Amino acid sequence: MANETVPVSIPDNLAAKAREKGWPLDLVQQALAAGAQPAQIIQYMDQGVTADQARQFLAAQAGGGKELSEEIRAKAEASAWPIELVQAAVNMGAAEGDLMRFMEMGVTAEQARQFMAQGGQAQLDLSWMNVPTEWNTRARPTKHGLTLDAINIGKYGEVPDVWEHQTEMPRGAFPIPGVEGMGYSIYQKQEVWSDACAPLYEESIQRRWRPATDVPWTTIEPLDDDLERGACQVMTYLSEKAQLEADVLGRWEPEISYGYHEVKLYLATVIFEGARAVEVFRKRALSNGGGLGIQSPGWSHRSVIDARNFSEMATVQMVLQDSLTLAEYQFGEMYAHNAAEKFIFTRAMQDKARHLAYGVSHLKYVLLRRDDRREEMQRYLDKGETALLMDDRKDHATRPAWAIYFGGGTANIGEGLRVYNQMRRRFIEQYLARLKWATLDRGERLLPGLRAFIDSE
Amino acid sequence: MPTFPSVEWFNAIKDLVNSDPAFRQLGTVDSVVGVKVGNKVYELTFEAFECTNVREATENALRDMDFWLEQPYDKWQEMLQNIKRNGAADLQHTLNTIDLNMPDGFARSHDGYRRDAFYRFNQSIQDFFNASAKIDTQFAEPAAVA
């Protein structure tokens, strides 16, 4: 390749692309003179190679190649790669880091020579190797291992307030034009974000459990028929609720754009944990001579499914509804009739507390950034609480079933109802405490039907 | 024989769980947990897969902890004796059951969000106390913690 400018004609489409991408025409001429094909140059431009990068590349070619570092010289000697071969590869555009990696992988000099003889990048298009993403990223494992937070470094850790891409391009990758949109609808960070997402995801993965083999199923012994019926109705209800949460989140998952992958990953674990809860409560119902009970009226289900935006869903499902579910798991653990049920409720409690941690911290994130959404969130909770109270009125099975479970049978159902009211009181107290942490004062807005549980004692 | 409550006693439990693969298998625990026994306060720090630190603390330090466990001294004794007798807490003496049985709660916090760490890491904290079944505990005279 010569240093002097050779007059080479530039095809019209290439000239137009060069103007669009800010490549001077003399640079394009230089590239053509060096043997590059017009289509290849257009491809480089579309991949985001800048004029400066191209100029540097051509200058390196013209000067007989970059000087090799001491590191690659030593590595080449150790790997029995002749230095001329390494220099030739670098002149063809290979990065030193890649070549050293090939050496470490055991690629022999002969293999490299054959690859280059085939034309190297001339036949295999390796232009993607010049992608201008952030390179030399070296995430290090922490005490928790190589976590999502640990790899969120440099540009890869920058989470934009608004995500501009409609495709599945990973955050930090380089976009290419022409890719079809994936139909996401959520592009704003405040609509889905919580700083707790990444650690909650890791916690969920680390604290996973397996119903089939971890639960001490053999500790379950026959219960009196009325108690078994109560237990099975409770399990039916809890299994149904868990399925709803998994279904609802499954619908929202594809709405969230890829810029917020920490949220998508965490919600994937919530969906999985919903599935696990469906599984484990169903298994308990079908493991001790009983069966499933009747379904729920489903008023609360609709309040979640009908949510029109993500924060509405998250607030109603993962703050209001999950506060109730966590209280149910707490009392389920306390009144468990065997070690298997104790185990199930303890582990389900851990999962549910994580769901709440996301819901509450997301709500706080929204409210601290969008004060104008406070009343909106209050209204979602108005609706959610109303539906919950409607379930209380229409559901003739769940309350007595819990009372039988707590009381140990129908003979002691009065005591069971007292415990049931305690459970609801605890739910409301913890629900209000969590909202307060999220900076939402629900004290005056709490619906009277729910307030009755905390005013009664 | 370590005396409950003392840094020595908590360190003995810490060493037991940190060398127990089953504790690690429960998953990561990231929480600063207080234990209040009478006028004594202890701070247990859990990080990743282990209990990393135990120290005696003050009442003021409770504010900076995720939550703390507090019950009358005789109830602490009952809980630990139950664990010793059964090898682990029986159905009536789990941390959650004790929590629900106490009007002011066993797990307390100044923070409605951080208190939920009690539930998120419940089995790990339970296993921490369950490990006390493996040591012989001497209980301090009530006057020493009053």
Side-chain angles (χ1 to χ4, degrees):
Chain A
M1 178 163 125
N3 277 332
E4 68 271 20
T5 307
V6 180
V8 180
S9 63
I10 304 173
D12 290 345
N13 64 334
L14 177 56
K17 179 65 77 172
R19 278 191 289 275
E20 177 194 330
K21 299 291 184 180
W23 280 39
L25 292 180
D26 71 304
L27 175 64
V28 177
Q29 277 192 320
Q30 199 183 340
L32 289 169
Q37 295 301 310
Q40 200 176 13
I41 299 172
I42 288 175
Q43 197 175 6
Y44 289 144
M45 291 175 180
D46 282 339
Q47 285 172 344
V49 175
T50 64
D52 273 353
Q53 288 170 324
R55 209 181 293 282
Q56 282 168 19
F57 177 75
L58 288 167
Q61 297 283 307
K66 283 198 310 189
E67 193 167 333
L68 300 178
S69 69
E70 286 305 313
E71 191 185 1
I72 197 168
R73 284 175 184 278
K75 181 80 76 179
E77 189 177 349
S79 307
W81 279 37
I83 209 69
E84 297 77 18
L85 176 67
V86 179
Q87 184 73 62
V90 169
N91 290 351
M92 287 177 74
E96 282 197 0
D98 292 334
L99 292 174
M100 287 194 281
R101 205 157 43 245
F102 296 150
M103 293 174 197
E104 283 166 10
M105 287 160 57
V107 174
T108 65
E110 189 50 34
Q111 287 170 322
R113 209 185 301 280
Q114 284 173 9
F115 175 74
M116 288 163 66
Q118 290 166 3
Q121 68 184 134
Q123 287 191 5
L124 288 178
D125 179 6
L126 299 184
S127 56
W128 54 268
M129 294 177 87
N130 298 317
V131 65
T133 55
E134 194 163 293
W135 207 244
N136 285 320
T137 307
R138 287 188 176 80
R140 295 278 180 266
T142 66
K143 285 185 89 165
H144 296 73
L146 190 62
T147 61
L148 286 178
D149 275 343
I151 62 168
N152 266 350
I153 45 182
K155 273 201 131 16
Y156 300 102
E158 290 175 11
V159 185
D161 287 337
V162 177
W163 182 248
E164 306 279 358
H165 306 278
Q166 297 182 24
T167 65
E168 281 184 307
M169 187 193 74
R171 196 176 72 217
F174 189 76
I176 57 175
V179 178
E180 294 175 40
M182 297 308 295
Y184 299 128
S185 63
I186 297 176
Y187 295 98
Q188 287 190 48
K189 186 179 180 184
Q190 59 89 17
E191 187 63 26
V192 291
W193 192 254
S194 153
D195 290 335
C197 274
L200 282 171
Y201 170 77
E202 299 288 354
E203 190 180 307
S204 171
I205 295 295
Q206 290 292 345
R207 295 187 73 81
R208 65 195 182 278
W209 51 287
R210 294 151 289 266
T213 51
D214 288 350
V215 177
W217 293 109
T218 53
T219 64
I220 300 180
E221 293 183 346
L223 300 174
D224 290 343
D225 185 63
D226 56 342
L227 179 54
E228 184 62 26
R229 283 184 186 278
C232 286
Q233 181 58 44
V234 165
M235 302 303 156
T236 304
Y237 157 78
L238 293 176
S239 185
E240 187 179 336
K241 280 215 295 190
Q243 184 66 67
L244 173 87
E245 184 158 19
D247 284 350
V248 168
L249 288 175
R251 282 172 55 174
W252 280 101
E253 184 81 289
E255 301 294 326
I256 303 169
S257 55
Y258 215 151
Y260 311 115
H261 64 256
E262 291 89 345
V263 180
K264 291 173 82 73
L265 290 176
Y266 177 60
L267 293 183
T269 68
V270 180
I271 294 167
F272 178 77
E273 286 163 3
R276 185 163 56 202
V278 173
E279 171 200 355
V280 79
F281 291 119
R282 187 176 180 87
K283 283 179 173 173
R284 165 58 192 91
L286 302 181
S287 62
N288 198 30
L292 294 182
I294 66 168
Q295 74 169 127
S296 307
W299 289 89
S300 293
H301 298 186
R302 289 309 299 248
S303 73
V304 179
I305 288 172
D306 290 346
R308 291 286 190 253
N309 67 56
F310 182 86
S311 292
E312 175 184 1
M313 182 283 296
T315 303
V316 175
Q317 176 62 47
M318 301 179 85
V319 180
L320 170 64
Q321 282 291 335
D322 280 353
S323 286
L324 171 60
T325 308
L326 180 59
E328 289 169 335
Y329 290 168
Q330 290 165 21
F331 277 74
E333 194 268 1
M334 184 181 188
Y335 288 92
H337 295 284
N338 46 61
E341 289 169 8
K342 200 87 170 169
F343 185 100
I344 291 168
F345 281 119
T346 303
R347 301 309 167 98
M349 192 164 75
Q350 295 187 151
D351 293 350
K352 189 52 65 189
R354 275 194 303 277
H355 306 169
L356 269 160
Y358 169 73
V360 177
S361 57
H362 167 62
L363 179 60
K364 185 172 190 171
Y365 189 90
V366 177
L367 294 174
L368 291 184
R369 282 155 188 82
R370 290 284 305 274
D371 195 55
D372 59 307
R373 297 193 69 182
R374 254 165 221 287
E375 176 57 22
E376 177 192 342
M377 297 301 160
Q378 293 277 20
R379 287 175 63 167
Y380 296 147
L381 290 173
D382 288 344
K383 283 198 315 193
E385 289 173 9
T386 302
L388 200 153
L389 285 168
M390 186 65 92
D391 265 338
D392 279 354
R393 279 197 290 276
K394 301 285 186 185
D395 184 348
H396 303 299
T398 303
R399 183 164 165 263
W402 273 119
I404 290 168
Y405 191 78
F406 296 149
T410 48
N412 205 20
I413 199 166
E415 171 60 14
L417 285 171
R418 190 190 65 77
V419 175
Y420 178 85
N421 287 340
Q422 257 184 12
M423 176 178 80
R424 296 302 289 257
R425 182 161 65 106
R426 189 164 181 98
F427 146 54
I428 300 295
E429 286 170 349
Q430 294 191 338
Y431 165 59
L432 293 177
R434 291 181 187 114
L435 287 176
K436 187 176 172 192
W437 183 85
T439 74
L440 196 69
D441 183 3
R442 188 74 187 153
E444 298 302 314
R445 289 287 283 264
L446 184 69
L447 294 198
L450 293 178
R451 179 176 302 286
F453 286 105
I454 49 176
D455 288 344
S456 63
E457 296 196 28
Chain B
M1 188 186 301
T3 301
F4 179 87
S6 67
V7 169
E8 183 197 11
W9 189 88
F10 285 110
N11 269 326
I13 306 297
K14 167 177 154 263
D15 293 343
L16 278 172
V17 297
N18 287 351
S19 60
D20 182 1
F23 185 78
R24 184 186 175 91
Q25 218 162 15
L26 289 173
T28 50
V29 190
D30 292 284
S31 193
V32 178
V33 180
V35 175
K36 189 165 186 289
V37 188
N39 60 0
K40 299 279 189 186
V41 174
Y42 300 90
E43 182 185 276
L44 317 178
T45 304
F46 294 89
E47 191 182 356
F49 297 96
E50 55 185 9
C51 176
T52 54
N53 193 42
V54 168
R55 71 177 183 100
E56 191 159 355
T58 63
E59 185 96 16
N60 286 339
L62 293 173
R63 189 164 288 280
D64 297 325
M65 301 180 195
D66 288 327
F67 63 91
W68 73 90
L69 301 172
E70 179 175 352
Q71 63 179 337
Y73 184 46
D74 61 326
K75 292 292 180 187
W76 277 110
Q77 287 179 292
E78 180 187 326
M79 181 185 106
L80 295 174
Q81 284 162 349
N82 176 271
I83 286 170
K84 181 72 179 171
R85 207 163 38 246
N86 299 295
D90 70 8
L91 299 189
Q92 284 74 47
H93 289 85
T94 62
L95 302 181
N96 176 64
T97 297
I98 295 171
D99 185 50
L100 293 177
N101 270 328
M102 294 180 63
D104 296 327
F106 179 33
R108 304 176 190 185
S109 178
H110 294 296
D111 187 313
Y113 176 79
R114 293 173 72 189
R115 186 189 180 281
D116 281 343
F118 174 66
Y119 304 116
R120 274 163 63 184
F121 306 116
N122 192 271
Q123 190 60 53
S124 298
I125 309 293
Q126 181 70 64
D127 274 24
F128 182 87
F129 284 101
N130 282 354
S132 69
K134 295 176 184 159
I135 63 169
D136 289 322
T137 295
Q138 181 175 328
F139 289 98
E141 288 300 319
V145 297

